Amino acid sequence: MSDGETPAVPSLYEVLQLAKDYPTAGEEHNLLTLALAMPMGGLIIFDGPSSSGKTHSVNSASSTFTNHENLVYTVPTTASETALYYEFDKMNQRPVHNWGDLASMEKTWEPILKDHGDGRPSNRKVTDVTLGEVVDKTIDPPATLILQIATDNEDINLNDYAEIKNRALILTSDGSREQTEAVMALQAAVEARTFEPSVGEERAAQIREYMTGVFETAEIFRTRRESEKPMATFWNPAAEAIAEAEVIPPMFNEARRDNQRLFKFMRAVALYHHAERLMTFLEDGERVMIVTPVDCWYAMVIFGEKMLRSALNLRGHDIEVLSLLREKPSSYTVAEIQQMLIQGGHNVTDRDVRRSLENMFTKGYVIRHDDSPITWQASPMASYMDYKSKIDWEGVVEKAAETVRANLPAEQAEKYVERYCSPEAMIVQHPITGETVNILEDTSLDEELSEAEDELKEVLSTPLYKSADDTDTDESESDAEADPEPEPEADGSTQGTLTR
């Protein structure tokens, strides 16, 4: 906070290193997203293949807090809805609820997830066996609800639960071959006792103490009942400048929610830095914590590329599948698409392909032919156009200073501008690499977004089925290939892990 002595804020890079000391290989962006979102992150869907480390990542992120064993309530996903309400005391005492890989989506669980996704308590009348009467039980919305879903689980398809999906920030675990190799190498180092933590015990204790303080500070921004008002809110004077950069492509209605998710994550970054952020009262008496340009930059570095893909409704294996279909002139079965991807060096399961096709079908990227068997082909959907996002961080800083000066008394406004908009304030430690960078000069974020945009643009703006010459070549190559194998049974068997 702004008054009195404040504890030194650990860098986000230090938090990441502590999470990786769990130990964890890779998953840097997911680990930081989870650690920052836990104090007031709402609903998070964490999907990915079975055994790809989702639970491990949640445990790694929670290990950055003091007494982390009592931070997370693991929901028994085999329990009935009524049984959960009998656990309401335990659930309400823990700020993070982790629904481990669900075997299926019980009909009675959906209302709880919707309520908590919107930050509302969930109520139910149950029979109190000790009193012999019906009583009301309430499960308060946790600071964060993490819903884990295995993408190779045939019984759960996120596309069937749009009301839950649209309320969530969605993360995907890394199921690549490179990640598997890194995990195995780390396991060997642990087994050989050559693994050494990056953060010393004394510093680790300091970081955990500070992270726990973030949870405590978050309480003033939270409510547990719809009728309540929080004691404080956030104000982001740089928001309009971020929006002008259009980092969230407005191609689908979901972009509206993604835009809100991005702003919420910027608030989470500001909350993390609470000990160094300015809190004040506006003219209407509202108490606010003021988000800084650096908070916005951190949020974009950690989460920006995921928001881009989310706004386009392209996730997981969608890019590889769509790229292949746009190059081929015919329609294909799931088994044929799987085989062509494998021949192209991508090892995927039939379930991966089927889920990807179903996801893209709902947004018009592909066409389904209800033949026997069902076949799929790319749609003539409008090209990606010449969409290009680039954030002018100098403009972001200038806009933040201008907005603050227009809304705060001169003395407070200049305090904010001097502390958070000065050239010195732009020198930070990169949260992923640990390098010291000037956010006005650093190009890594632009390059990351540009790389993702170019990949999507290449897929969506190339002529459908290539040119006639390319098509002839593809067809003759296809004739020379062996006939694809029959469509495999839906058992989720895999021939490897997709390499990105």
Side-chain angles (χ1 to χ4, degrees), residues 361-377:
F361 175 68
T362 63
K363 294 302 173 186
Y365 285 111
V366 297
I367 298 171
R368 181 177 65 194
H369 299 286
D370 293 325
D371 305 319
S372 183
I374 293 172
T375 58
W376 304 80
Q377 69 181 128

Side-chain angles (χ1 to χ4, degrees), residues 129 145 170 259 384 431:
V129 293
L145 189 155
I170 302 178
N259 202 42
Y384 195 111

Side-chain angles (χ1 to χ4, degrees), residues 52 135 159 198 285 316 441 447:
S52 60
V135 296
N159 294 318
S198 301
E441 300 173 358
E447 290 169 359

Side-chain angles (χ1 to χ4, degrees), residues 261-493:
R261 291 184 185 111
L262 181 58
F263 287 139
K264 183 173 184 178
F265 194 66
M266 290 175 180
R267 297 195 296 268
V269 176
L271 174 64
Y272 171 77
H273 292 99
H274 68 92
E276 296 178 342
R277 292 299 174 257
L278 180 65
M279 289 200 72
T280 189
F281 290 91
L282 301 180
E283 285 187 358
D284 60 2
E286 184 178 16
R287 189 185 184 196
V288 296
M289 176 181 286
I290 310 179
V291 180
T292 72
V294 165
D295 294 328
C296 299
W297 183 83
Y298 279 132
M300 289 301 304
V301 169
I302 297 168
F303 202 60
E305 193 263 348
K306 289 182 174 65
M307 283 287 91
L308 172 65
R309 290 178 181 269
S310 176
L312 289 167
N313 283 275
L314 292 171
R315 302 177 56 253
H317 308 316
D318 293 354
I319 293 295
E320 289 80 14
V321 174
L322 184 58
S323 179
L324 182 146
L325 289 179
R326 287 188 68 87
E327 294 175 356
K328 301 294 182 180
S330 302
S331 60
Y332 301 91
T333 65
V334 167
E336 290 169 337
I337 294 169
Q338 181 194 17
Q339 291 301 315
M340 287 187 287
L341 286 171
I342 291 173
Q343 291 165 6
H346 304 294
N347 294 323
V348 294
T349 70
D350 61 305
R351 288 177 179 173
D352 293 333
V353 174
R354 187 177 295 107
R355 289 288 173 85
S356 179
L357 290 166
E358 290 171 352
N359 177 56
M360 292 190 290
F361 175 68
T362 63
K363 294 302 173 186
Y365 285 111
V366 297
I367 298 171
R368 181 177 65 194
H369 299 286
D370 293 325
D371 305 319
S372 183
I374 293 172
T375 58
W376 304 80
Q377 69 181 128
S379 74
M381 184 175 177
S383 68
Y384 195 111
M385 303 173 289
D386 291 326
Y387 182 82
K388 205 72 173 176
S389 65
K390 179 178 174 64
I391 299 178
D392 174 12
W393 288 104
E394 287 188 7
V396 170
V397 175
E398 291 174 1
K399 184 65 175 179
E402 175 188 330
T403 303
V404 166
R405 283 176 171 142
N407 290 275
L408 287 182
E411 184 178 350
Q412 279 192 324
E414 292 311 312
K415 183 178 182 180
Y416 175 92
V417 172
E418 180 181 351
R419 186 180 297 182
Y420 307 114
C421 299
S422 66
E424 295 78 15
M426 302 300 108
I427 309 299
V428 300
Q429 185 177 29
H430 196 287
I432 306 298
T433 67
E435 298 173 344
T436 300
V437 299
N438 184 328
I439 74 168
L440 303 183
E441 300 173 358
D442 179 60
T443 61
S444 61
L445 175 58
D446 289 337
E447 290 169 359
E448 182 179 7
L449 290 175
S450 179
E451 182 180 345
E453 290 163 352
D454 288 344
E455 180 185 15
L456 296 169
K457 183 176 180 180
E458 181 180 354
V459 172
L460 296 174
S461 63
T462 52
L464 197 60
Y465 314 137
K466 289 188 174 182
S467 67
D469 291 341
D470 290 335
T471 298
D472 292 341
T473 302
D474 287 343
E475 288 177 340
S476 33
E477 287 177 353
S478 179
D479 291 341
E481 294 171 353
D483 291 336
E485 297 177 6
E487 185 165 354
E489 297 293 329
D491 61 356
S493 59

